[in-house]
Amino acid sequence: MNKKVEEGFNNQINAELHSAYLYYSMSAYFEDLNLSGFASWMRVQAQEELFHASKFYDFICDRGGRVLMQPIDAVDTEWESPLAAFEAAYGHEKYISDRINKLVKLAREEGDVMAENFLQWFVQEQVEEEATADEKVQEIKMVGNQGQGLFMVDRELGQRTFTMPADGE
Ligand code: OFO
């Protein structure tokens, strides 16, 4: 496998695991606030991130590369409000989209067509990840970050479940 792409993909495994770590931290923050729906939503988000990491892991293995696990940076444990946590999640997804775009550019420069093709799933996924996080930010803003409205959003967020995408194998 192309060495520069392999290094970039290994770094992305780390970034995806870091994302999972961040969302678990947000889940714990919401548990502490007794917002169990918010906490559950974030836990599902963390599971999605573990799935993203495993997709990069499998691709490196399939292409005869070597997966190298790296230390995971610490994450925040407190936010000012539920809205602040979701704004941070939205900001984080924009950062991840930027990373994926750079990986596409790298794969293209290196002429690694298989890697570029593989990354298309993530390009599409990031459109959804950003849209979903932004939608939740707007919902929380609308209900004013507290009271009965927040309770309703909590109930709605609690409905989310993790389903392995069809091409997950
Ligand atoms: Fe949230 O998409 Fe992966 O990191």
Side-chain angles (χ1 to χ4, degrees):
M1 164 171 193
N2 178 289
K3 285 293 153 197
K4 282 189 192 167
V5 174
E6 181 180 333
E7 190 188 352
F9 276 29
N10 264 311
N11 291 341
Q12 191 60 27
I13 290 176
N14 185 265
E16 298 294 347
L17 293 176
H18 180 254
S19 300
Y21 208 48
L22 173 66
Y23 294 132
Y24 273 124
S25 185
M26 288 180 176
S27 182
Y29 162 75
F30 286 124
E31 288 286 2
D32 197 45
L33 293 178
N34 292 316
L35 289 169
S36 59
F38 278 77
S40 167
W41 194 95
M42 282 297 174
R43 196 178 283 226
V44 171
Q45 187 67 23
Q47 286 174 307
E48 283 207 357
E49 302 303 352
L50 295 178
F51 171 69
H52 294 167
S54 70
K55 274 183 86 78
F56 280 101
Y57 183 110
D58 289 342
F59 184 85
I60 292 173
C61 291
D62 288 348
R63 299 289 298 131
R66 173 71 161 93
V67 170
L68 295 170
M69 306 307 271
Q70 303 166 38
I72 298 170
D73 288 342
V75 291
D76 288 340
T77 54
E78 296 290 341
W79 288 268
E80 258 177 40
S81 63
L83 175 61
F86 264 89
E87 282 176 336
Y90 179 43
H92 183 76
E93 288 306 329
K94 287 199 276 191
Y95 159 72
I96 292 293
S97 297
D98 187 52
R99 292 187 61 108
I100 296 292
N101 292 344
K102 285 184 175 137
L103 282 176
V104 171
K105 196 162 167 267
L106 175 69
R108 204 168 282 159
E109 278 165 9
E110 293 298 308
D112 191 336
V113 178
M114 287 178 187
E116 193 183 339
N117 186 50
F118 165 82
L119 286 165
Q120 290 314 308
W121 184 90
F122 283 92
V123 171
Q124 187 53 42
E125 177 72 359
Q126 282 312 119
V127 172
E128 286 168 34
E129 293 270 274
E130 280 191 35
T132 307
D134 186 36
E135 184 187 293
K136 300 308 164 199
V137 166
Q138 300 313 324
E139 262 181 61
I140 300 167
K141 272 187 182 166
M142 219 170 343
V143 300
N145 215 17
Q146 60 189 342
Q148 183 71 11
L150 201 63
F151 175 71
M152 299 295 284
V153 176
D154 189 60
R155 291 240 319 238
E156 182 229 311
L157 292 183
Q159 307 295 314
R160 184 185 187 192
T161 53
F162 177 69
T163 37
M164 183 75 81
D167 64 345
E169 306 72 37

